[in-house]
Amino acid sequence: MKKHLKSALAASLMVLAGVASAQITFYEGDGFRGRAFATETQVRNLNRSDFSDTASSLVVERGRWEICDQPRFEGRCVIVRRGNYESLQAMGLENRISSVRPADASRNYSEVAPSGGDYQYRRRGNERTFEAPVTSSKAIVAAANERCWIERQQVSQQPPVQNRPNIGGAVIGGLLGGVLGHQVGGGTGKDIATVGGAVAGAAIGSTVGRNNTPVQPVAQDVRRCETTASTTPTYWDVSYNFRGIEHRVQMTAEPGRTIAVNGKGEPRL
């Protein structure tokens, strides 16, 4: 019995040692979730490891790796480099990888995937996680800002009034005033009425001439502004407690009642 336990413990330690030094790790779900399989050597057929056509995301720790959708490195193959590949869907290899091996440095490969991003909160292969209760979650929204732009518009503009009188209107007004003066006046008063009518008519004629000036439309740049405010959170400021220690992290989505963490209290999403 003791011998059997020692053998099982030794096998477990060998598995953990292999994961710790692994160069590539496959995950069953997107975002490095679910069951994981790690290797640092070529695998001709992932079916033997119960991971054929199963991987949805992967992490390359070191070097370059050739992943293929058929056993024995046949079919369509893609080179992945050091980094974190949160989803294999864009490559067309989601749940389709059947074999993997280190890339040959002396070969030129026709299909190389873009470098994966650095996702520090990914779950490592066979890493144990714990549920830490969320103590607070605040949605942070961007501050309102002013947006301005220039529009070309037609604006009605009154031509500037000249300092000199409206001669045309004044002459016509003077003639009308003279006629009125002759009709109204008689005798000595006739001349007075004529002069007075001419003066009043000139004043009226000048005013009429100005008011009848057409308004000209003029094109000019007009500056307009509006205040915009976003109601969509930019991120969530989340606090959680793990083993009596308060932690904070910024998340792109609203968390639930708990958050997954490793033994050090680091988030594992």
Side-chain angles (χ1 to χ4, degrees), residues 152-214:
R152 192 71 173 174
Q153 293 186 347
Q154 296 288 332
V155 179
S156 299
Q157 184 175 6
Q158 182 77 29
V161 179
Q162 303 294 331
N163 292 329
R164 58 189 178 85
N166 188 325
I167 298 176
V171 170
I172 296 174
L175 293 176
L176 290 175
V179 173
L180 288 174
H182 278 289
Q183 291 177 350
V184 174
T188 305
K190 179 180 179 178
D191 296 332
I192 297 174
T194 299
V195 174
V199 173
I204 296 172
S206 179
T207 303
V208 171
R210 286 197 298 268
N211 291 341
N212 288 339
T213 302

Side-chain angles (χ1 to χ4, degrees), residues 5-21:
L5 291 175
K6 288 182 179 180
S7 299
L9 180 59
S12 299
L13 291 175
M14 288 179 65
V15 171
L16 292 175
V19 170
S21 60

